[in-house]
Structures are given as C-alpha cells and as structure tokens.
Amino acid sequence: MKRSSGILLNIFLILFGFTAVFFSFESNQKLLVSLLDDITGGEKEFVEMSYFMGDDLTYHNGRYFSWDGERISYLDQYSETLWSRTFLFDEPNLKIEGGRIAVFNKEGEIYVYNSEGKEIFTKDLEDKIFDARILDGDVGVHIKNDKGESIIVFGPDGTEKLRKEYSDEVPLGYWKGEKGELKFSVIETADGEILSNLYYENEQEPVYSVVDELILKTFSYGNGSIILTDEGIKLFKSNEIKWERDFPLIKDVAVDGTDIYVLYGDNLEVLDKTGQTIKKLTNPIEYKGLHNHGRYVIMYGNRDIEALRDGEIICSNSTGGRIKGLTSQFNDLIITMEEGISVMRIKDVEIKEQEDEQ
C-alpha cells in the first residue's frame, strides 16, 4: 500500500511540474484562454476583478511593482511591501516585463533583478545607455558613444549573447519574434534617400529593405511575417513580398489566426490572408492600440476598450483612468493606467447574473 501511495505521489508531482512549466509560457496561457472561450458562449462583458491604485505600477501574478523614481517595491494584493530596493544615482530608468526588472542610468550602469528581489547581474558599460528592454528573459541595451551606436543583448545570467555595432547606420528598433529570434530595424541614408533594413539575428545582410519607409515591427503570420511600416503593412514570405497595403496614419496591427487587424486613423480594418478587406469599422472615438488576449483582439484608446472576435465587437468598457498599456496573464486582462491598474476578465453575462442571485 505504501509503495502504491508513493508511486501515485510521484506521478502527481511529475504532472504538477509539467503543468507548471507548460503554463509558464505566455503562448500556452493564451491557448488555455482560447479553450475556455470555446466552452462558454452568449453575451459577454468586461468585469473588473481587482484594482490597485497608485502611480507607476506594474502588475505581476496577483502582485505589483511600484516605482517612485528612486525606489522599486514589490507589494502583495493587500499592498504589503514584500521587498524594495533604492537607487541613488542620477536619473534612474526602469523596465519591467515577465517578473524581470532592469534599472539603468545614462552613465552606463544597469542592474537586473528577478521578482523576488534577487540580483541577477549588474553591468557597467562605460557608455551612455540610450534605452534598455526585457526580451523574454534576455536584456537588450542600446548604447551610444562617439564611434556610433550598439545593441548588446545579455542572456538571463548576464552573459553577453550578441553585440551589433553601427557607425554609418542608426538602429531604429529591435524585438523578439514568436520563435525567439531577434530582429532589428536599421536605417541608413543613401543618395538623399532613407533606406530601412530588416535584419534577422544570425544574418549579416538585410532580409528585406525598403526606401522612404520605416520598418517598425514584424508579426508572425503562418510561414511568413507581417511587416509593419509607417506607411502600411506587407506580407513577407519565402524571402519576398507577396502583397502590401498602404494605410494612412497607421497605429497598430494584430494577428488573430488568418485575420489581420489594422488600426489606422479613425478606422479598424480586418484583412484576410490575401490582403483583402473583409470587415471595416469607423470608430466614433480615438483608439491607439491593439492587443491579443486569448481569442479576442482588444482595441484600446485613452480610456476606452473594446473586445473583438472574428471582426465583431463583443463587449466594451470605459476605464476610470488614462490607459498606458495592456498585457495578459491567463484570462486576466491587465490594464495599466496612469492612476493605477485594473485587472479585468471577459465573462459571460448570464453566468454572472446567476452568480449575483446566489
């Protein structure tokens, strides 16, 4: 009997460990949300689950970080401080993503911590840090000096993984694709024209170049990529542009299956895989961004949010504060505002009414 109990315990621990690792990845969290969406139906609405008041807050797994310009604090759901760190150098800057924290200054110092407040690594780069960002556990640093500019990427333990140096070119941006590959947008001037180049991590030559447009970002799309520029979007596949569309005053793009959502001006268009418009909405108020949340695409403005599915508006809400950005953790939609953080869920109206009656 004891042996059987031990075997069952081991099986449980293995399954628990596998589940914890599986759902530690954001893509698997989105899969779970998608499956839950398929099970439930009916009219939907945004429901606020919790709210944290304060300036410069960042939500993380039911807790949140607070930054006052000198001190970073990690607090629980009852606003009790779990740990804090103070930085006494001039003009500190902060970046937080996925429980990884980077604090840096213009003099070249950068300190990286995990969500428990443990120092992971520090660097003194001896060059001006223009910007830093968290890249799925890695840390990217953009530095400038008299010789030009550089992008340095450090691994989770602080080991330098990659260094790109630019003397005649200017790095416009860099990011990680869904498969973890780094991508770089670099601009240069030639014969009075602006040339925008897209590089992949392990490629010495640009995979794509365009004149008089700025490459802002890429989005995975099937076996290809959607390239977002300041003029519109392009489908890049098999080392060539399959189609392209111009959109004036383009703001953001989101990919949901084969549907491509394009937010520009006062309009939202949904395109199919051939680049043809299958849905167009004219917004009565200004929206500024798009965010993928499970099987929904969230369109957000300064204070308003709308959830869309298959090109249709499912529900909407107006927040009490000015929206800075959106993230997702499982089925929680995290709305970061200038005045605080609102944690919302998209729920079935009928189910909520039944819960209220009980």
Side-chain angles (χ1 to χ4, degrees), residues 5 63 120 133 205 275 283 294:
S5 299
R63 300 171 176 178
I120 304 301
R133 61 184 61 179
E205 299 296 327
N283 300 312

Side-chain angles (χ1 to χ4, degrees), residues 215-255:
I215 297 173
L216 304 177
K217 198 173 180 182
T218 62
F219 302 82
S220 295
Y221 188 75
N223 295 324
S225 297
I226 299 294
I227 298 177
L228 169 65
T229 77
D230 61 331
E231 299 288 342
I233 65 171
K234 312 169 191 292
L235 176 61
F236 182 73
K237 187 176 181 182
S238 302
N239 295 319
E240 64 177 357
I241 299 297
K242 297 297 184 179
W243 54 259
E244 57 186 297
R245 291 277 307 271
D246 292 335
F247 292 97
L249 304 175
I250 191 166
K251 299 177 180 177
D252 206 355
V253 169
V255 173

Side-chain angles (χ1 to χ4, degrees), residues 97-165:
E97 186 176 320
R100 185 60 58 102
I101 306 129
V103 181
F104 60 97
N105 62 13
K106 293 182 178 180
E107 282 69 41
E109 298 175 284
I110 183 166
Y111 301 81
V112 179
Y113 298 86
N114 63 16
S115 61
E116 297 175 354
K118 179 182 177 181
E119 183 180 286
I120 304 301
F121 66 88
T122 65
K123 299 288 180 181
D124 188 350
L125 302 175
E126 299 181 353
D127 284 312
K128 180 180 177 180
I129 297 180
F130 177 71
D131 191 25
R133 61 184 61 179
I134 311 297
L135 302 164
D136 293 335
D138 295 338
V139 177
V141 182
H142 183 177
I143 64 174
K144 294 183 177 182
N145 55 37
D146 294 338
K147 297 179 181 179
E149 304 182 30
S150 299
I151 301 294
I152 308 172
V153 179
F154 298 101
D157 61 352
T159 302
E160 184 176 312
K161 295 177 60 176
L162 182 113
R163 180 184 290 257
K164 298 280 188 179
E165 298 181 342

Side-chain angles (χ1 to χ4, degrees), residues 315-331:
C315 57
S316 59
N317 191 278
S318 184
T319 66
R322 191 175 181 86
I323 297 173
K324 296 169 63 177
L326 273 60
T327 57
S328 295
Q329 293 182 15
F330 288 98
N331 56 343

